[in-house]
Amino acid sequence: MPITSNLIPKETKQYCENVSYEHQVASWLLKDGWEVYIPHVDHGAKNDVLISDGEYYYRIQVKSIDRHDECAVVKPMWEKHDNIDFVIYFSKKGQWGYIAPQFHKPRKLKHPEHERFHQNSTNFLKAFAKV
């Protein structure tokens, strides 16, 4: 059986982990029939995933949080003029996440406008359909 023996630099590991969440969102949305576009380079960009239903486009920012606490306060990482439609948060320590419409002031992750999901495609897609 293959065993990983090389040490990955901390920054590289962090980047790969972040990109894996973006690809997870993309694959779940592709499975649901969305057109999905991912920028080749998204470092510093506000959109991690762009989706379309054929008529409308939606811009998505994907974030991961290193917490168990669903009452954690999240801060917007964008300006009011940035065109972001949804922010999807993944917990690195739990099997849950939240889908939030764009917001402009810090708020609890467990905000009434946010939809919680378990980290599987069926539950994510049900939550995404509600926002």
Side-chain angles (χ1 to χ4, degrees), residues 21-67:
Y21 289 115
E22 294 168 14
H23 287 276
Q24 185 67 69
V25 167
S27 69
W28 287 343
L29 291 168
L30 279 168
K31 180 179 179 181
D32 197 42
W34 290 88
E35 294 176 19
V36 177
Y37 307 93
I38 299 176
H40 283 287
V41 178
D42 71 349
H43 188 71
K46 302 298 179 184
N47 300 308
D48 295 319
V49 179
L50 178 69
I51 63 171
S52 176
D53 60 5
E55 185 174 349
Y56 298 103
Y57 288 86
Y58 302 95
R59 293 160 296 259
I60 299 173
Q61 179 71 230
V62 179
K63 297 287 182 196
S64 59
I65 58 171
D66 202 19
R67 313 247 337 228

Side-chain angles (χ1 to χ4, degrees), residues 24-25 27-29 31-32 90 99 115-130:
Q24 185 67 69
V25 167
S27 69
W28 287 343
L29 291 168
K31 180 179 179 181
D32 197 42
F90 282 85
I99 304 168
E115 285 294 328
R116 186 183 192 279
F117 65 92
H118 293 286
Q119 290 185 26
N120 65 60
S121 64
T122 302
N123 199 265
F124 171 81
L125 294 171
K126 284 180 185 177
F128 193 73
K130 293 179 183 179

